[in-house]
Every structure is written in structure tokens, then in C-alpha cells.
Amino acid sequence: MSSIAIDTYATTTAVLAEPVQPVQPVEFVKPAAPAELAAEEPPSAAAMRLPVWFFGFEGVLAGAFDLLRALPDAWPALVALGVVNLAVSLTMMRGRLKLAKLMWRGKGTRNTALALVGLRIGSHFLLGLLGAAVTGVLGHLLFGLLMSAVTVALLAYAQRTALAALLAAGKITA
């Protein structure tokens, strides 16, 4: 017998002498359908809610027309505020942008935006017709503050309405 045959015989005998482990059954898991993945856990209303101070950015920008009429040299501050608003939106509020997108898809938010534009143009037009046009620095500052406050209040209301609708539709949890 050659040495290769003896080595093969010894290896085969050693392998056959070891106890055979029973084969464990393999459990096949059906992959989840895309609808099941999306329906796992909707976000909570608290996780999606934008803080009211965030609407202050939009409030100041809504009053920007009158602020610039009162203080024409304030445009760099408004541009800086717009940049800060964009930075905060894309960093701290990034997870909450889903609510903002859902709100802009809603008819109520678009109506609110159009109502604010109509209020701006209509109020100045009406005051002009009545002979009480806003011309002074103080008048423009007060009108700008009023427009800012109305904008913040309407955006907070639109958010509350949108969250209530999403909660009723089951797209978010309480």
C-alpha cells in the first residue's frame, strides 16, 4: 500500500468516527412587502410638530415689506435671517420637514398663504383709499409687527389643523 492510500484511509476513518450533528431546519422568512414596511410605525404628532418659535422666521419675513419701508438699511439683516431660517430648516428641523411638505400639499395652508398675501395688499389698498395710508416709520414698524403676529398665529393654526387631520387619517400617532 502506498503512503497516499494509507493517509486517505486514516483520514476517512477519523472523519467517519466523529459523531454526526443533526441538521437544523432552516426557517424561511417571507420578505416584507413595501406596504408592510411603510405601515410599521407612524411617527408621533410630537415628533412632527414644529415649534412656534420656528414660525417667527416666516413672521419676520412676512413683515419684511413694512420693515424695509421703515428701515431701508435692514435688508442685510433680513437676508441673514433668511439664511439662518434655511440652515435651521435643513439641520435642526430636518426630521420635521415631512410635516412641512404635508402641510404645503394641503389646501388649507395654501389658502392661508394666499390670505396673507391678500391681507397685505388689501389692507394697504384699503388704507390708501381711506386716506390713511401707512407712510411713517412708526406706522410701517407697527404694520410689520402686526403682519408678523398674524402670520405666526395662522401658521400655528394651520399646523394644528394639519396634525389633527393626519391623526384622524391614522398617518401619525398621538
Side-chain angles (χ1 to χ4, degrees):
M1 231 191 219
S2 71
S3 68
I4 294 176
I6 294 173
D7 288 338
T8 304
Y9 176 76
T11 305
T12 307
T13 309
V15 169
L16 291 176
E18 292 178 6
V20 178
Q21 298 293 329
V23 177
Q24 297 293 328
V26 177
E27 184 177 320
F28 290 101
V29 178
K30 177 185 167 193
E36 292 173 358
L37 289 175
E40 282 180 7
E41 229 179 280
S44 70
M48 290 187 73
R49 180 176 288 119
L50 292 167
V52 176
W53 63 261
F54 182 72
F55 297 135
F57 289 122
E58 281 73 22
V60 171
L61 295 178
F65 175 79
D66 286 299
L67 291 175
L68 287 176
R69 291 286 187 150
L71 306 166
D73 294 333
W75 68 267
L78 289 175
V79 170
L81 189 65
V83 170
V84 169
N85 181 16
L86 185 63
V88 168
S89 297
L90 295 176
T91 56
M92 292 174 51
M93 302 294 165
R94 181 139 184 98
R96 296 173 175 172
L97 287 179
K98 183 177 181 180
L99 173 65
K101 290 176 187 175
L102 289 172
M103 283 177 64
W104 276 110
R105 287 184 192 153
K107 185 171 53 170
T109 305
R110 289 192 302 260
N111 289 343
T112 301
L114 291 175
L116 284 169
V117 171
L119 179 65
R120 155 75 58 217
I121 294 170
S123 59
H124 277 289
F125 181 72
L126 183 64
L127 287 173
L129 284 178
L130 295 174
V134 178
T135 55
V137 173
L138 182 61
H140 280 294
L141 281 176
L142 290 176
F143 206 82
L145 288 173
L146 177 69
M147 285 303 297
S148 296
V150 168
T151 300
V152 170
L154 286 176
L155 286 175
Y157 174 76
Q159 173 181 253
R160 189 176 67 209
T161 304
L163 286 173
L166 290 172
L167 186 62
K171 294 188 178 189
I172 62 172
T173 60

